[in-house]
Amino acid sequence: MNIILVGLLRPFSILYGWITTFRNLLFDWGIKSSKSFDLPIINVGNITVGGTGKSPHVEYLIRLLQPHYSLATLSRGYGRKTKGYLLANPHSTAEDLGDEPMQFYQKFGHQISVAVSEKRVLGVSELITGVHPEVIVLDDAFQHRAIKPSLNIVLIDFQRPIFHDFPFPAGRLRENRVGLKRADIVIVSKCPDNFGKAQQQGFIQKLKPYLNPTSRVFFSTIQYGEVTSCIDDWVLQIPQKVVLVSGIAQPQLFEKYARDTFEIIENVTFPDHYSYTRADVEKILLILEKAELGAKGVLMTEKDMVKIKPLLVDFPDKQHLFYYLPIQIGFDVNQKKQFDELILNHCQMYVS
């Protein structure tokens, strides 16, 4: 966004910030109520609009907690074509659940319960009475003040930290920076691999005016896995040339990794949470077919895969051309130990 446009939108940002701050004060003063529950409810949320890497952080928590507790995840289900509370089952699709909950279900559905509900209090109540989880991980409920998580984890994108940002519409903040004081844990996501201790401390100093004194700050990186076939979950021959496909909020890191690793035929981007159609697959295949000969394919994010994969049944002789790139998050050794212990100890207080 250019400087002139930001300047023109700043009055609207100030107004939006006042409105969100006043709304938060109504909850803080008890005029509007927040419901808490007698089990650990860990929220992974944003103070910015999309693109901070919530899904891989939720998956990190699933991998950490599932061996120890009966676990459920609850999301709003952004972009789904259903309403109300819905518990994922073997017949569920991304249209039923939304792309991110569907991704959780495909990866972990045999180990955990995955549910969606735009009303989080209702969703948690349904999970408690229906599947009796010991721990619930909430996906993106930091501004959903009707529910009071036992632990609030807020992600900040290293590439666009809140101290350089403004509330919507001049910036990407969902509320004023002071809202970060509600966070128990702040994770600065998408950090470079060489982001050292001195740089971390400098970043924390800039965050301090907006942090609760008891908040813990961690730094995570994106780690890419092996290129995987959308159909067979294994790769016979990794393509050298790819049509890059993404429908995510901040595709820059994915695009950079792909450019460094593959020869890009064309980069095809769609809006975040985009609902793919058969015509989109045909368009992507046409681009691929016009490319020069060689080992070539379509490479997408895992989030996009869960929506494109069901469409590939109409292209049985082309399914082998579609691949995705899974991602995970990582901490350095010391921070991983501290973070894991913090989460496990928090849950143990409730369950013991």
Side-chain angles (χ1 to χ4, degrees), residues 75-92:
S75 309
R76 174 188 172 189
Y78 190 87
R80 65 184 172 124
K81 296 184 178 179
T82 58
K83 295 290 184 182
Y85 173 80
L86 186 65
L87 184 66
N89 62 71
H91 304 292
S92 298

Side-chain angles (χ1 to χ4, degrees), residues 90-151:
H91 304 292
S92 298
T93 66
E95 290 190 346
D96 300 327
L97 303 176
D99 45 23
E100 289 156 348
M102 190 65 204
Q103 181 177 318
F104 302 152
Y105 184 71
Q106 285 189 352
K107 295 176 84 167
F108 305 105
H110 61 294
Q111 300 170 316
I112 69 170
S113 299
V114 176
V116 293
S117 177
E118 58 271 30
K119 296 181 179 179
R120 305 309 203 286
V121 172
L122 170 66
V124 168
S125 300
E126 291 282 358
L127 280 170
I128 290 172
T129 58
V131 300
H132 313 294
E134 294 174 301
V135 180
I136 296 174
V137 177
L138 285 183
D139 176 22
D140 196 15
F142 189 57
Q143 285 76 33
H144 195 88
R145 297 291 305 275
I147 193 167
K148 188 175 181 180
S150 62
L151 195 69

Side-chain angles (χ1 to χ4, degrees), residues 221-233:
T221 58
I222 294 292
Q223 300 174 344
Y224 291 97
E226 296 292 330
V227 174
T228 307
S229 169
C230 285
I231 302 303
D232 302 317
D233 291 331

Side-chain angles (χ1 to χ4, degrees), residues 1 36 103 181 208 220 275:
M1 193 177 296
S36 56
Q103 181 177 318
K181 291 186 182 293
K208 265 193 174 178
S220 69
S275 295

Side-chain angles (χ1 to χ4, degrees), residues 283-349:
K283 171 188 172 183
I284 293 164
L285 283 171
L286 184 61
I287 295 170
L288 190 65
E289 289 167 4
K290 289 181 177 179
E292 297 177 358
L293 295 176
K296 56 186 181 179
V298 178
L299 182 64
M300 66 193 78
T301 71
E302 191 169 8
K303 179 176 165 179
D304 295 301
M305 178 273 293
V306 299
K307 293 176 287 187
I308 288 180
K309 182 176 179 178
L311 299 172
L312 298 184
V313 295
D314 293 336
F315 305 88
D317 59 333
K318 304 292 184 182
Q319 293 179 354
H320 66 285
L321 297 172
F322 287 79
Y323 301 84
Y324 69 94
L325 188 64
I327 63 171
Q328 294 185 20
I329 63 109
F331 300 100
D332 71 33
V333 175
N334 291 332
Q335 286 210 344
K336 174 177 171 54
K337 184 175 184 294
Q338 294 170 15
F339 180 81
D340 291 1
E341 287 179 351
L342 184 58
I343 299 299
L344 291 171
N345 290 341
H346 173 79
C347 293
Q348 189 63 33
M349 288 192 303

Side-chain angles (χ1 to χ4, degrees), residues 42-44 56-65 137 151-155 184-188 216-220 329-347:
I42 302 172
N43 172 55
V44 181
H57 285 81
V58 169
E59 292 181 3
Y60 182 95
L61 290 174
I62 293 171
R63 293 186 180 97
L64 174 65
L65 293 169
V137 177
L151 195 69
N152 251 324
I153 301 174
V154 176
L155 305 183
D184 302 296
I185 295 173
V186 174
I187 300 178
V188 183
R216 299 284 299 276
V217 181
F218 295 88
F219 296 83
S220 69
I329 63 109
F331 300 100
D332 71 33
V333 175
N334 291 332
Q335 286 210 344
K336 174 177 171 54
K337 184 175 184 294
Q338 294 170 15
F339 180 81
D340 291 1
E341 287 179 351
L342 184 58
I343 299 299
L344 291 171
N345 290 341
H346 173 79
C347 293

